[in-house]
Amino acid sequence: MRRVRQRAEAYGRKAAYRSGARTQARLAWEHGRRVFLMRSVMTHAWAREYAGRPHTTVIDGPQDVLRHLGSLVPTTGELTWT
């Protein structure tokens, strides 16, 4: 979860046309990964374009990522260790 929080925070800090946030979002989307964009980057055209794509969520902060991912995590007892 620490990594998710750090990435979510990074989206808010880097928003330029050639930013790491844009590149990271593009690569994640190309690999079928879920993309979280901070609302603060929605001022950029690339971010608004990505926001309309499947599996992309606009968030206000890291707590939104955790809340959103919480619905994807199995409840206790559903995990199997082999």
Side-chain angles (χ1 to χ4, degrees):
M1 288 301 172
R2 179 174 166 248
R3 183 180 226 171
V4 170
R5 181 177 46 83
Q6 288 173 335
R7 286 189 178 173
E9 290 170 349
Y11 287 129
R13 287 195 301 269
K14 300 177 183 177
Y17 175 74
R18 296 173 59 173
S19 76
R22 181 181 184 200
T23 301
Q24 199 170 34
R26 179 181 55 82
L27 291 172
W29 189 81
E30 287 174 357
H31 287 93
R33 306 283 307 271
R34 188 170 296 276
V35 176
F36 294 97
L37 294 173
M38 293 291 291
R39 192 169 308 281
S40 60
V41 301
M42 298 311 291
T43 58
H44 301 279
W46 68 264
R48 291 189 299 274
E49 176 190 338
Y50 275 69
R53 294 181 179 185
H55 307 296
T56 302
T57 305
V58 178
I59 60 169
D60 292 310
Q63 63 276 22
D64 292 337
V65 174
L66 299 175
R67 189 177 323 113
H68 190 75
L69 290 178
S71 64
L72 302 176
V73 176
T75 59
T76 304
E78 292 183 24
L79 295 176
T80 303
W81 299 94
T82 57

